[in-house]
Amino acid sequence: MRAREAEVFDLGYQRYTGPREGRNRARLALFENGVRTVLGIGRGGRAKILPVGLFLAVMIPAVVFVIILAFIGEGGADFIPGPADYYSIVSVILIIFGAIMAPELLCPDRRDNVLPLYLVRPLTSNDYLIARFLAFFAIVLVLVYAGQIVLQAGLILTASDQVEYIRDNWQDVPRILFMGVLIATFISVGPLAVAAFTTRRAYAAAFVIAAWLLLNSISDGLTVETSCTIVTTGDRGGDAIIEESSFEVGSTIIPEEEVVSRECTRPAGDLAPYVGLLHLGGVTDNINNMVFDVDLEPGQGAPSSMAVAELHDAFPIGVYVLWTGIPALLLWHRYRRIRL
Amino acid sequence: MSFDVHEGVTGLLGPNGAGKSTAMKLFLGLIQPTSGSAMLLGEEPYRSTEGRARIGYMPENECLPKSMTASEFLMHMAQVSGIPPAQARTRAADVLRHVGLDEERYRPIGEYSTGMKQRVKLAQAIVHDPVLVLLDEPTAGLDPDGRQEMLRLIHRTANTFGISVMLSTHLMGDVERTADSVIVLESGVLAQEGAVAKLTEETETLLIEVADRHEEFVTALAAKGVQASDDGQLLVIEQAREADYDLIRDAAVESGARIRRLSPERRTLSDIFRSRPA
């Protein structure tokens, strides 16, 4: 008996009679596609190197701190950075992630001219933008939380009394969650706005990183304390005036309790606090210090943050709103009048 | 300007710069009219997102993401048209098979030839089973074989798939091969509109050449009331009708002329273009 030959049946074209879910399905599809694009899912291995590498880079500080904690034990928590410092430590890596990955999301669609295909479907350009933004925002949020979760786990597990540690520090959890949202928004919206103005991914990434380096070094350079006049009391025989920037307050040379007053000069002079607001890393760092209730001691933190601390809280908050609001407006404006 | 798009294939014909693409983009809501309004399927498309769920569009220029595979891209586009993931997967596979992309569909689109890209462009325009699909210069940049294949696919889309097609082109041949009716645009103005068969039929020309007795044949024809222009060798009958053939036969019998050539020249759309007063 011969086996029957395989047959191919052409069923012909079938009309689609299934469900049509309209705009919400379209938005969801764009969101999913955005996440896949950034993470390189469904593309070659090369597309995954960057997201995976940057993810590891963000995790490394947390992992290192936890390892230190594990070796030193509870005492280590006093001198290694905690949740309040973590975001400012990884902000450089986060902005690199934003600078490189945000263009990945917007540039190819415009370079390959895919946008018309989206906009003839049940979507508006705002739907497109919001879906793309949320996709990127979600990834950055997972990224910023992941390190904090590892760090928290390490702190709790190495504490001698875990229940007590949690009772004393539970407030860190809402702070971490809230600050994470603020940081993820800042890291997403700015680079996305830059990416909206070029079809070349490298240009967008270079622009963001250059702006970050430039503004930060200008701001820090003009707000750094060049020389200080420190009035002290104590063993040095009454009032002593020391004009030397290298004397660290709190060091053995000048014990903190002996300092009466401290007057420092900065290149930007009286404008220093405002120049400090230019610092891009400070946009979230300053808010972070408010949220975590950090009091900056002289010599700690970036010079720009020290200078900004002299201003009313409304200033750093206002700067944050500007640095997220203006890029958001630019994005919206750009896509509203995009030429197809 | 107002015109109707019927079932089947409607050709939107005009030279470069006549406003074909602009007209399509207006209907699709990609651009907004400076004055007046563009309505498609009874809706203003840039206002109604839901109305756009049943329209397909194939742009003229490249519009495909290079890093995605055709399969992934089609699934994505079906979903963006509102079709849930499971059904989108089936639709994508079906439509890619219909346009003749098999194994290649798992390779990134960036590696495709022009012909394959055109097929993916067509596939994405019909993946959500639209009522109407607008194709902007679908044969642009294709070699003769690719062009034939594309025209065959367009014909199939309209006649087998039952999707109405509006096709813009500057090539008369494309319209003649596929379209049932045609809209002629020139410098943004509607120049002519009607069924392709009717437009070409009305201008059918008959060429006659006789081997001998030329004069007698002409006289016999004139006696029967058939107007023919005569250049001494070739007779040209403009706008010949069905009945003229009988009269020509009778004239040939009466005059005893032997007909060497009797060729009906169904004039192409390009002739209509040329003869039309500017």
Side-chain angles (χ1 to χ4, degrees):
Chain A
M1 199 180 89
R2 277 178 59 205
R4 247 177 55 161
E5 274 180 46
E7 285 180 84
V8 176
F9 296 99
D10 186 0
L11 298 174
Y13 183 81
Q14 310 257 308
R15 298 232 63 147
Y16 178 74
T17 51
R20 288 178 187 269
E21 298 170 351
R23 199 168 172 183
N24 286 332
R25 170 59 62 191
R27 290 165 167 160
L28 187 62
L30 266 178
F31 173 83
E32 273 177 16
N33 173 264
V35 172
R36 291 169 64 93
T37 305
V38 174
L39 299 182
I41 300 169
R43 292 195 287 152
R46 251 188 326 166
K48 294 185 190 70
I49 294 173
L50 222 48
V52 170
L54 290 167
F55 185 79
L56 291 177
V58 174
M59 295 297 288
I60 283 170
V63 172
V64 169
F65 298 155
V66 170
I67 291 171
I68 294 172
L69 279 174
F71 277 105
I72 300 178
E74 196 178 5
D78 295 335
F79 63 89
I80 71 149
D85 316 300
Y86 181 74
Y87 283 138
S88 63
I89 291 169
V90 293
S91 67
V92 177
I93 304 164
L94 288 175
I95 197 69
I96 291 173
F97 184 86
I100 295 174
M101 302 313 291
E104 205 70 42
L105 209 43
L106 293 185
C107 294
D109 280 352
R110 289 206 330 286
R111 191 197 51 213
D112 295 340
N113 222 348
V114 190
L115 272 180
L117 299 187
Y118 286 127
L119 297 181
V120 298
R121 289 179 153 81
L123 275 177
T124 64
S125 57
N126 283 343
D127 289 334
Y128 171 84
L129 264 187
I130 291 168
R132 288 302 202 214
F133 166 76
L134 286 178
F136 198 66
F137 173 78
I139 291 169
V140 178
L141 195 62
V142 168
L143 211 57
V144 299
Y145 282 159
Q148 287 278 24
I149 289 169
V150 170
L151 190 57
Q152 277 299 308
L155 285 167
I156 292 169
L157 292 175
T158 55
S160 55
D161 184 346
Q162 274 122 12
V163 179
E164 194 191 320
Y165 179 85
I166 293 170
R167 199 173 51 225
D168 293 346
N169 296 284
W170 67 268
Q171 282 177 324
D172 280 347
V173 176
R175 285 167 168 167
I176 288 168
L177 294 179
F178 176 70
M179 203 53 220
V181 170
L182 292 189
I183 290 190
T185 307
F186 175 72
I187 296 291
S188 308
V189 74
L192 282 174
V194 173
F197 286 88
T198 172
T199 53
R200 304 286 294 268
R201 283 167 287 186
Y203 291 174
F207 183 87
V208 172
I209 292 171
W212 177 270
L213 294 177
L214 205 66
L215 282 177
N216 289 4
S217 45
I218 289 174
S219 174
D220 275 341
L222 293 179
T223 52
V224 73
E225 292 169 344
T226 45
S227 68
C228 290
T229 309
I230 300 170
V231 181
T232 64
T233 58
D235 306 343
R236 277 165 239 280
D239 295 352
I241 293 169
I242 304 165
E243 275 190 75
E244 186 59 67
S245 61
S246 62
F247 288 122
E248 296 252 337
V249 176
S251 69
T252 48
I253 304 169
I254 310 174
E256 212 166 329
E257 53 275 13
E258 292 182 15
V259 176
V260 174
S261 70
R262 192 164 176 281
E263 289 273 334
C264 297
T265 56
R266 293 171 292 209
D270 292 342
L271 289 174
Y274 303 100
V275 174
L277 290 172
L278 289 175
H279 198 280
L280 278 179
V283 174
T284 51
D285 283 356
N286 294 329
I287 308 269
N288 184 74
N289 292 339
M290 282 181 218
V291 169
F292 284 93
D293 216 4
V294 177
D295 275 327
L296 288 177
E297 300 285 335
Q300 281 181 324
S304 56
S305 287
M306 297 291 305
V308 171
E310 295 170 17
L311 294 170
H312 190 268
D313 280 356
F315 282 94
I317 292 172
V319 165
Y320 177 85
V321 171
L322 286 180
W323 273 118
T324 48
I326 291 175
L329 274 176
L330 282 175
L331 265 174
W332 172 75
H333 183 75
R334 173 81 173 147
Y335 275 81
R336 197 171 58 104
R337 356 190 77 235
I338 199 138
R339 266 192 63 80
L340 296 167
Chain B
M1 167 166 66
S2 164
F3 48 79
D4 296 324
V5 177
H6 306 277
E7 272 187 31
V9 181
T10 306
L12 187 59
L13 186 61
N16 291 331
K20 304 182 298 280
S21 296
T22 310
M24 281 197 164
K25 285 176 182 176
L26 276 169
F27 291 131
L28 290 160
L30 286 178
I31 48 180
Q32 296 182 12
T34 43
S35 63
S37 63
M39 307 273 274
L40 189 65
L41 304 177
E43 297 192 72
E44 286 193 314
Y46 69 88
R47 298 238 170 87
S48 150
T49 48
E50 294 309 313
R52 294 202 295 251
R54 301 303 303 270
I55 298 169
Y57 173 49
M58 174 178 173
E60 179 180 4
N61 29 32
E62 294 224 347
C63 60
L64 303 172
K66 295 183 181 64
S67 57
M68 275 173 116
T69 67
S71 175
E72 198 188 354
F73 176 61
L74 266 266
M75 253 186 74
H76 174 52
M77 278 307 172
Q79 290 185 52
V80 175
S81 290
I83 296 176
Q87 287 89 333
R89 183 181 297 276
T90 324
R91 284 292 305 176
D94 279 0
V95 171
L96 282 172
R97 184 164 46 83
H98 279 294
V99 300
L101 278 175
D102 297 313
E103 290 310 308
E104 308 93 324
R105 67 173 187 254
Y106 301 114
R107 290 210 327 251
I109 295 171
E111 299 171 10
Y112 288 10
S113 68
T114 311
M116 282 157 70
K117 281 183 189 160
Q118 286 298 92
R119 290 181 203 192
V120 178
K121 277 165 66 177
L122 178 65
Q124 66 78 28
I126 59 173
V127 70
H128 52 299
D129 193 20
V131 193
L132 169 70
V133 63
L134 283 80
L135 312 176
D136 199 353
E137 298 273 3
T139 56
L142 293 177
D143 60 19
D145 283 349
R147 180 161 166 249
Q148 293 307 324
E149 175 64 20
M150 180 52 67
L151 292 175
R152 199 181 59 75
L153 273 171
I154 291 166
H155 190 262
R156 238 156 66 93
T157 304
N159 297 290
T160 316
F161 305 173
I163 300 170
S164 297
V165 176
M166 187 171 177
L167 156 85
S168 94
T169 180
H170 64 276
L171 299 170
M172 326 292 170
D174 288 1
V175 171
E176 285 180 335
R177 279 278 313 277
T178 57
D180 305 305
S181 57
V182 64
I183 293 156
V184 183
L185 279 185
E186 205 161 306
S187 316
V189 179
L190 180 65
Q192 217 160 356
E193 128 171 68
V196 170
K198 206 163 135 245
L199 274 182
T200 49
E201 191 178 85
E202 274 173 1
T203 55
E204 192 171 297
T205 304
L206 211 50
L207 298 179
I208 308 168
E209 199 183 339
V210 287
D212 48 9
R213 294 173 184 265
H214 183 86
E215 299 302 320
E216 290 89 333
F217 181 70
V218 175
T219 321
L221 262 184
K224 293 184 187 302
V226 179
Q227 298 291 319
S229 60
D230 177 16
D231 70 347
Q233 203 175 10
L234 201 65
L235 290 168
V236 181
I237 302 174
E238 300 272 2
Q239 299 190 1
R241 286 177 303 273
E242 203 63 31
D244 290 343
Y245 287 89
D246 290 343
L247 298 175
I248 292 162
R249 181 200 57 202
D250 294 347
V253 174
E254 280 171 27
S255 62
R258 286 179 296 138
I259 294 176
R260 178 182 284 160
R261 175 178 169 200
L262 174 66
S263 57
E265 296 244 310
R266 173 164 282 209
R267 296 208 313 179
T268 59
L269 284 164
S270 54
D271 296 330
I272 303 174
F273 256 125
R274 263 182 245 120
S275 65
R276 217 167 30 76

